[in-house]
Amino acid sequence: MSTSASTLAFVESPVQLLNVLEWAYARAAAPGRPLDGVPSQRARRAGRAARKEPGPRPPGALAPVRIVVLPPTDPMSRGQLRRMAALARDEGCEVRWQEARGSRLAPLKALAALAGDVRAARTVVVGDPFSRYVQLLLTLVRAEELVVVDDGTATMEFVAQTARGERLVRWHRVGGGGLPGRVRELAYAPVSAAARRRFVPDRASVDADAEPQPGPGRTRRVEVFTSMPVAPHGGMTLRPNEFAWTRARFGPPRLTKGTDLVGTSLVETGVVDPDRYLDAVGSLTLEHGATRYFAHRRESPEKLRALSRATGLEIVRPDLPLELIARRGPVGRTILSFPSTVVHTLPYALTGTGVTVAVCDVDPAWLTGSASPRARSFLAGVTDTARDVHRLPAQAAPTAG
């Protein structure tokens, strides 16, 4: 088996692929660097103040990794994934495009096609531990090392749930589907439980005095590669994602005089009421002079047309993850966002550029009646734990009534 094939990564979204590249870049620079938790961006930026931005490395400077793309069906995500796959190939990575959706038999065909590589890999990298397809693949894993890279703020929930020994459930998921849905959950429960056990490091893997165990009984290490403020547990190690590859590869950006607003899929996931969201975007646009709206890849065209008509904002559909778009520029001197991944990642990607990242709280009155009970506290936690961002006062957002 080739060196790249010994490290196998599965990605289902553009940001997951970006974070696999960041992981490979960090792994090549510092093969071993476990931490007890991710320091705040502010503390880490102070520690970096005396050193220069990372210099560019030639293609091939990433640790060898074979990337398997399991694309979703929506055109925006597929387009971004194809462009990210091209970037990965430019960096010397081997990329395989594997359709696993779109028909009833597609998942089984993909599983059969990937089974041999999954069993042979010594390191497996995944971007979404909540994905049912990834969990199914994990039941085949015999790797010595399992790595979880960021899939947005879901990493925070993943670490918290595994620490509590809970089943893996997305924070905005509230169940449903009636009796058929419950039957499917029960039928899938053994697969989910087996995948969850894969994220528990073997005791010997964290014991410095333990003898390595060859063959099928060898120990397994678990690493989390993240920009999120999490603390590993139970022998899990942590490698911080500082977006060093992005900073070395792109920018610094040209800054415009305007303000950019970052969109969110909170409406599409059923968390925030559409009318409340429209009001909030309008309020932020007027108060901060925003001129552009960077749409989330899952935002519907109908919603975006309504936003443009109501606010006059220029709607931008990024062809790459926002961290790359912002780093390449041009970008506003201020970037406004609702609670989301970018309030944690953009301060890293844009460090030293002079860009201010601001976050607007989600008023509990904006939540829909079907939003999960966890939604309010999770969104507040995303905002509360962000560093190097300006938190907008409550009056910056419209109130209920």
Side-chain angles (χ1 to χ4, degrees):
M1 183 170 57
S2 67
T3 304
S4 63
S6 69
T7 299
L8 194 62
F10 294 101
V11 300
E12 298 174 287
S13 74
V15 73
Q16 291 175 30
L17 208 166
L18 169 59
N19 287 325
V20 168
L21 296 182
E22 293 288 354
W23 172 81
Y25 190 86
R27 173 64 67 98
R33 195 180 160 200
L35 296 178
D36 295 327
V38 176
S40 71
Q41 287 98 324
R42 187 182 308 278
R44 296 176 62 193
R45 180 176 295 181
R48 290 198 305 267
R51 74 173 186 261
K52 299 179 180 179
E53 284 284 293
R57 294 189 219 161
L62 280 65
V65 57
R66 182 182 184 189
I67 302 171
V68 178
V69 178
L70 304 168
T73 56
D74 70 282
M76 278 297 297
S77 296
R78 292 174 72 89
Q80 285 194 15
L81 271 168
R82 288 195 184 280
R83 283 179 278 276
M84 282 302 306
L87 278 177
R89 292 187 180 102
D90 289 345
E91 295 297 308
C93 296
E94 181 183 354
V95 181
R96 173 177 176 175
W97 189 276
Q98 179 68 58
E99 297 289 352
R101 296 173 175 84
S103 71
R104 182 172 295 181
L105 294 179
L108 294 178
K109 290 180 179 178
L111 187 66
L114 295 171
D117 288 343
V118 173
R119 292 192 181 100
R122 297 183 62 183
T123 296
V124 171
V125 184
V126 300
D128 183 6
F130 294 95
S131 164
R132 287 191 170 185
Y133 193 77
V134 167
Q135 290 180 2
L136 190 61
L137 286 169
L138 286 175
T139 63
L140 305 177
V141 166
R142 300 174 179 174
E144 301 168 357
E145 182 178 36
L146 183 60
V147 179
V148 179
V149 301
D150 274 337
D151 182 34
T153 52
T155 306
M156 298 166 66
E157 197 74 344
F158 162 73
V159 173
Q161 288 180 7
T162 53
R164 296 189 295 262
E166 299 173 354
R167 67 190 185 99
L168 298 176
V169 180
R170 300 184 194 276
W171 66 268
H172 55 78
R173 185 72 57 83
V174 294
L179 181 60
R182 289 194 291 273
V183 170
R184 285 194 299 270
E185 289 291 335
L186 287 172
Y188 187 75
V191 174
S192 180
R196 189 171 67 248
R197 288 193 293 271
R198 290 290 192 275
F199 294 115
V200 178
D202 291 337
R203 180 182 297 246
S205 69
V206 296
D207 185 350
D209 298 324
E211 290 292 330
Q213 300 177 26
R218 58 180 174 244
T219 59
R220 182 178 62 258
R221 302 180 301 278
V222 178
E223 176 185 299
V224 176
F225 179 72
T226 182
S227 301
M228 302 297 122
V230 299
H233 57 83
M236 182 183 289
T237 60
L238 186 142
R239 187 184 299 266
N241 181 2
E242 297 180 332
F243 283 86
W245 176 80
T246 296
R247 290 184 286 116
R249 188 74 160 73
F250 302 103
R254 178 175 64 84
L255 304 187
T256 68
K257 296 181 180 179
T259 294
D260 293 329
L261 203 156
V262 179
T264 175
S265 61
L266 290 173
V267 170
E268 284 71 17
T269 53
V271 175
V272 169
D273 177 80
D275 293 332
R276 295 289 191 185
Y277 184 76
L278 182 61
D279 289 343
V281 171
S283 175
L284 289 169
T285 300
L286 289 174
E287 182 165 346
H288 297 276
T291 56
R292 295 191 300 176
Y293 180 97
F294 286 100
H296 189 281
R297 60 189 173 85
R298 292 200 185 102
E299 289 188 87
S300 69
E302 296 77 19
K303 170 186 162 187
L304 294 174
R305 283 194 291 268
L307 280 173
S308 181
R309 286 195 301 266
T311 65
L313 286 166
E314 175 191 356
I315 305 298
V316 179
R317 300 299 298 257
D319 60 355
L320 291 168
L322 188 59
E323 294 80 6
L324 299 184
I325 295 294
R327 183 71 193 182
R328 294 194 310 180
V331 67
R333 293 184 181 275
T334 300
I335 298 178
L336 306 179
S337 176
F338 295 96
S340 71
T341 306
V342 299
V343 304
H344 291 275
T345 60
L346 285 180
Y348 286 121
L350 296 173
T351 185
T353 62
V355 174
T356 297
V357 179
V359 58
C360 174
D361 285 325
V362 169
D363 190 315
W366 304 353
L367 302 183
T368 65
S370 60
S372 75
R374 180 82 174 92
R376 180 175 178 179
S377 61
F378 183 82
L379 291 171
V382 171
T383 301
D384 292 343
T385 56
R387 298 291 184 269
D388 283 339
V389 300
H390 174 61
R391 189 163 180 173
L392 299 180
Q395 62 267 24
T399 57

